């Protein structure tokens, strides 16, 4: 089933078409990567899909329902979760609290019972804590649970953000450069994590610059350049596409690369 | 100590403070100072929820103190309500008003929010001082006592009024601190702290940011209102100054001085700034200057406030 369908999506910043007429789809359990040179509009595209920016044109459909322009909290309730390129961790909260905050929607709103610390509120808290600790173990952060988030290393924060996103029990997970700034070992851990999450049926949309990672785990790749989709397809096809090579290396470099590849 | 939660430690420390402090009082006058500390501590605990948890500012919370105070002044006279009920009525009015006012102004951020709340506080102050047919204007008006002392007397206990107020306000402060601490570790508290750190990430995990900001505003308004009611009933008199700008600034300074993120810190801040004018008469003449100076020094040297900064420094030395 098509979980995410994007149709002719576009947005302008001060008259410049930052993203224009981008269409593609993501199926359940599929890992789709969006790649392209810096400034191609990948993060802008993500921000439109996740409700941070309001698209000027086109539509976003989530599990068949049109969700164009809905705010992030409404999208979260419909099973869309994301991480951010420039880390949006709750820096002053503990690592455990960060992940527990991810369970906000499944906990529901119970302000009065929370203030009075009624048994129902305490029980909810215990259940959330157990679930959060399991998620922390899954991303390998169980030992730092009580630390303040700002004390973690960059790579650990990236994993923390993924754990928080998973706490929302997403059907579609948007990962914006999850491996940026991570060393080879950390990248591999993230690679395994993403693959395992996709196996559970979660659709994953990925922006990533680490081409080794992208080529290895993607089922499908969408290539953006100057805000438009220049091609899409299987990793091995996209990697040889002269248009893609040209976008990354320029016209001259593209020719050289094509010669080199034979 | 290790297996006690921060919540239990804070509560135990507060209980100890309330119980032990009278042993050091040189005269019964200090029961009054203690009561003032607790009443200010209560308002400041509310601001911990707004400023410390949710990261929003208000320079108009004295307006809610004013509503609570004048509810206790007016409702017993005009509606024949007992003072306790008048206090609850004031809290209800403050909560509803905070809800109505908060919806539009909490969309603002940073200094825009500060100015909007400042305007709200001034508005309440103006109403209280101008509608003299009802409020007695700038001269203020009498307030009926809570009647606790009479209640105790009828039970055969004769306790000086100052002591009755001390123990009662201490109890209310403990209750207020307990509720604020409950909130901190709950799902609602996490949502508030989350939107403080990153609104966009909070929205991404499904937090309705506008709603939770509003709830923090409403809850802190109720705290301020109850503290205003208590202050008026203890003094048996109230003037519009209780809703004035200086009072709002005092409350924010107390919160920030002690540490906005921590209930115990903020109550410490309230205690220091309440006791200081009693200890230094000079303080009273230059209150504005001293408050401003404290604010600046805290912002420069102890960004997180007195108590959290000291705890951090101490635990670093140990580790």
């Amino acid at each position: 089933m098509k979980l995410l369908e994007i149709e002719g999506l576009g947005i302008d910043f001060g008259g410049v078409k930052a993203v224009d007429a981008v269409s593609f789809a993501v199926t359940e359990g599929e890992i789709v990567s969006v790649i392209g040179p810096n400034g191609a509009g990948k993060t802008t595209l993500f921000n439109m899909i996740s409700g941070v920016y309001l698209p000027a044109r086109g539509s976003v459909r989530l599990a068949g329902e049109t969700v164009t322009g809905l705010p992030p909290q409404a999208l979260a309730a419909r099973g869309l979760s994301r991480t951010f390129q420039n880390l949006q961790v709750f820096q002053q909260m503990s690592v455990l609290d960060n992940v527990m905050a991810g369970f906000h929607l499944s906990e529901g709103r119970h302000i009065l019972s929370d203030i009075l610390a009624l048994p129902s509120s305490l029980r909810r808290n215990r259940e959330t804590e157990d679930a959060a600790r399991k998620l922390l173990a899954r991303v390998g952060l169980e030992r730092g649970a009580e630390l303040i988030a700002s004390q973690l290393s960059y790579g650990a924060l990236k994993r923390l953000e993924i754990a928080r996103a998973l706490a929302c029990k997403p059907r579609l997970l948007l990962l914006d450069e999850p491996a940026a700034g991570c060393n080879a070992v950390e990248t591999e851990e993230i690679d395994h994590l993403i693959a395992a999450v996709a196996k559970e049926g979660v659709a994953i949309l990925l922006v990533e610059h680490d081409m080794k990672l992208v080529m290895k785990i993607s089922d499908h790749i969408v290539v953006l350049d100057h805000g438009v989709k220049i091609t899409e397809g299987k990793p091995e096809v996209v990697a040889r596409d002269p248009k893609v090579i040209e976008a990354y290396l320029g016209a001259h470099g593209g020719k050289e690369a094509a010669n080199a590849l034979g | 100590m290790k297996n006690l939660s921060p919540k239990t430690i804070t509560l135990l420390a507060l209980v100890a403070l309330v119980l032990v402090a009278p042993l050091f009082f040189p005269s019964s006058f200090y029961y009054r100072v203690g009561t003032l500390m607790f009443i200010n501590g209560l308002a400041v605990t509310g601001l911990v929820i707004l400023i410390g948890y949710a990261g929003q500012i208000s320079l108009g919370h004295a307006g809610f103190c004013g509503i609570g105070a004048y509810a206790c002044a007016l409702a017993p006279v005009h509606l024949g309500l007992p003072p306790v009920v008048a206090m609850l009525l004031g809290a209800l009015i403050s909560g509803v008003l905070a809800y109505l006012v908060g919806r539009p102004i909490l969309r603002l951020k940073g200094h825009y929010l500060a100015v909007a709340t400042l305007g709200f506080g001034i508005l309440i102050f103006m109403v209280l001082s101008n509608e003299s047919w009802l409020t007695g204007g700038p001269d203020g008006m009498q307030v009926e006592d809570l009647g606790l002392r009479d209640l105790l007397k009828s039970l055969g206990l004769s306790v000086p009024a100052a002591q009755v107020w001390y123990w009662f306000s201490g109890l209310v402060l403990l209750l207020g601190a307990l509720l604020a601490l409950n909130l901190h570790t709950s799902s609602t508290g996490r949502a508030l702290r989350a939107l403080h750190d990153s609104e966009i990430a909070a929205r991404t995990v499904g937090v309705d940011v506008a709603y939770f900001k509003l709830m923090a505003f409403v809850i802190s308004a109720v705290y301020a209102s109850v503290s205003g009611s208590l202050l008026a009933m203890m003094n048996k008199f109230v003037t519009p100054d209780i809703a004035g700008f200086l009072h709002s600034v005092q409350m924010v300074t107390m919160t920030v001085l002690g540490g906005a993120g921590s209930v115990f810190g903020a109550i410490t801040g309230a205690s220091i700034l309440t006791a200081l004018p009693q200890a230094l008469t000079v303080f009273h003449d230059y209150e504005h200057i001293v408050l401003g100076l404290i604010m600046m020094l805290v912002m420069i040297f102890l960004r997180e406030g007195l108590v959290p900064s000291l705890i951090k420094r101490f635990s670093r030395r140990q580790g």
Side-chain angles (χ1 to χ4, degrees):
Chain A
M1 192 191 118
K2 292 259 183 287
L3 194 60
L4 176 73
E5 294 161 272
I6 290 165
E7 197 62 54
L9 210 58
I11 190 169
D12 308 332
F13 292 137
V16 179
K17 285 187 174 166
V19 171
D20 195 36
V22 172
S23 308
F24 63 91
V26 185
T27 317
E28 273 175 0
E30 195 183 26
I31 302 177
V32 174
S33 293
V34 180
I35 63 168
N38 285 326
K42 304 179 297 288
T43 295
T44 306
L45 178 70
F46 257 43
N47 282 340
M48 284 193 285
I49 298 173
S50 62
V52 177
Y53 294 159
L54 185 65
R57 298 172 293 278
S59 70
V60 180
R61 286 159 70 82
L62 195 61
E65 184 193 3
T66 302
V67 295
T68 324
L70 283 185
Q73 63 268 30
L75 292 169
R78 286 166 174 76
L80 185 151
S81 187
R82 72 169 287 184
T83 67
F84 295 83
Q85 182 184 2
N86 55 342
L87 286 177
Q88 292 285 343
V89 171
F90 306 129
Q91 296 281 357
Q92 297 178 50
M93 292 165 69
S94 75
V95 169
L96 181 64
D97 275 352
N98 262 275
V99 181
M100 286 175 78
F103 286 95
H104 179 78
L105 282 170
S106 46
E107 286 181 308
R109 271 185 206 165
H110 308 273
I111 294 189
L112 207 58
S113 72
D114 280 353
I115 290 188
L116 299 175
L118 297 182
S120 64
S121 169
L122 299 177
R123 197 193 54 234
R124 243 188 340 263
N125 234 11
R126 269 196 307 275
E127 288 166 2
T128 305
E129 187 179 329
D130 289 345
R133 284 191 190 277
K134 277 188 196 124
L135 275 179
L136 279 176
R138 190 165 179 195
V139 299
L141 287 174
E142 68 275 29
R143 294 207 315 186
E146 322 298 335
L147 291 175
I148 300 300
S150 57
Q151 295 174 299
L152 292 188
S153 71
Y154 189 78
L157 287 173
K158 285 274 179 194
R159 280 179 287 154
L160 176 59
E161 228 188 356
I162 295 176
R164 186 183 67 198
L166 288 175
C168 305
K169 303 182 186 76
R171 290 195 287 169
L172 172 68
L173 182 57
L174 274 60
L175 300 171
D176 199 349
E177 300 201 22
C182 293
N183 61 36
V185 180
E186 289 171 329
T187 305
E188 191 149 329
E189 284 167 2
I190 286 175
D191 161 9
H192 289 313
L193 181 62
I194 295 172
V197 171
K199 269 227 175 72
E200 290 164 14
V202 177
I204 290 174
L205 188 61
L206 183 72
V207 165
E208 185 52 62
H209 278 299
D210 186 328
M211 281 305 143
K212 236 167 75 191
L213 176 69
V214 169
M215 292 301 160
K216 195 165 139 203
I217 66 171
S218 308
D219 298 308
H220 196 83
I221 293 179
V222 176
V223 189
L224 292 187
D225 189 25
H226 297 298
V228 293
K229 184 176 83 179
I230 55 173
T231 186
E232 66 174 307
K234 296 243 169 279
E236 53 275 17
V237 179
V238 167
R240 297 227 184 105
D241 192 319
K243 274 186 292 183
V244 177
I245 298 167
E246 195 182 312
Y248 271 92
L249 301 176
H252 176 69
K255 258 178 231 145
E256 297 281 314
N259 291 338
L261 283 170
Chain B
M1 281 297 271
K2 272 266 158 65
N3 19 15
L4 290 178
S5 68
K7 175 175 151 184
T8 322
I9 294 172
T10 304
L11 284 175
L12 286 177
L14 283 177
V15 170
L17 177 78
V18 174
L19 289 179
V20 174
L23 299 178
F24 299 95
F25 288 168
S27 72
S28 60
F29 167 73
Y30 284 84
Y31 279 102
R32 198 188 131 76
V33 179
T35 308
L36 273 176
M37 282 182 186
F38 296 158
I39 291 176
N40 285 331
L42 183 70
V44 162
T45 302
L47 284 181
V48 166
I49 295 171
L50 183 70
I51 301 176
Y53 296 2
Q56 308 300 308
I57 185 72
S58 169
L59 292 180
H61 256 55
F64 298 115
C65 294
I67 291 170
Y70 277 86
C72 285
L74 295 169
V77 181
H78 294 274
L79 305 173
L81 293 175
V84 179
V85 181
M87 180 166 90
L88 297 177
L89 179 69
L92 181 71
I93 295 172
S94 291
V96 171
L97 197 65
Y99 185 82
L100 297 175
V101 173
R103 276 174 74 106
I105 68 174
L106 284 167
R107 284 190 208 151
L108 305 171
K109 289 193 177 134
H111 29 271
Y112 297 100
L113 178 63
V115 171
T117 50
L118 173 70
F120 166 77
I122 291 175
L123 209 68
I124 300 286
F125 173 77
M126 296 296 274
V127 170
L128 292 177
S129 34
N130 289 345
E131 302 301 314
S132 41
W133 59 274
L134 185 66
T135 64
D139 296 336
M141 65 187 296
Q142 300 280 336
V143 182
E144 207 175 300
D145 189 78
L146 189 58
L148 262 182
R149 196 178 170 212
D150 299 337
L151 187 74
L152 289 175
K153 229 177 220 162
S154 68
L155 294 172
L157 285 166
S158 177
V159 188
Q163 290 194 27
V164 173
W165 268 106
Y166 178 85
W167 298 113
F168 179 65
S169 59
L171 203 65
V172 176
L173 174 64
L174 281 173
L175 185 68
L178 173 68
L179 298 183
L181 291 165
N182 284 344
L183 199 61
H184 188 265
T185 46
S186 71
S187 154
T188 307
R190 275 192 298 276
L192 292 175
R193 289 182 287 141
L195 74 88
H196 182 179
D197 278 355
S198 166
E199 277 196 26
I200 180 64
R203 293 171 72 195
T204 307
V205 297
V207 175
D208 184 341
V209 167
Y211 175 82
F212 278 93
K213 279 185 188 174
L214 188 58
M215 284 305 122
F217 194 66
V218 169
I219 294 168
S220 63
V222 170
Y223 271 85
S225 178
V226 172
S227 108
S229 296
L230 294 177
L231 196 60
M233 289 191 290
M234 180 191 68
N235 288 331
K236 299 198 189 66
F237 194 75
V238 64
T239 68
D241 283 339
I242 195 171
F245 175 56
L246 183 61
H247 191 204
S248 286
V249 172
Q250 273 174 334
M251 290 196 291
V252 173
T253 312
M254 287 169 180
T255 315
V256 175
L257 169 67
S262 116
V263 171
F264 189 75
I267 292 174
T268 307
S271 303
I272 293 173
L273 286 187
T274 310
L276 223 49
Q278 316 292 337
L280 311 165
T281 38
V282 136
F283 187 96
H284 195 76
D285 301 328
Y286 300 100
E287 184 160 10
H288 293 67
I289 298 176
V290 176
L291 282 180
L293 204 62
I294 290 174
M295 279 277 236
M296 281 168 58
L297 292 176
V298 167
M299 283 300 123
I300 294 169
F301 296 110
L302 303 165
R303 287 292 295 271
E304 292 167 64
L306 211 52
V307 171
S309 299
L310 290 179
I311 288 176
K312 213 174 246 182
R313 209 158 284 185
F314 183 67
S315 56
R316 205 178 299 152
R317 203 166 288 168
Q318 280 200 321

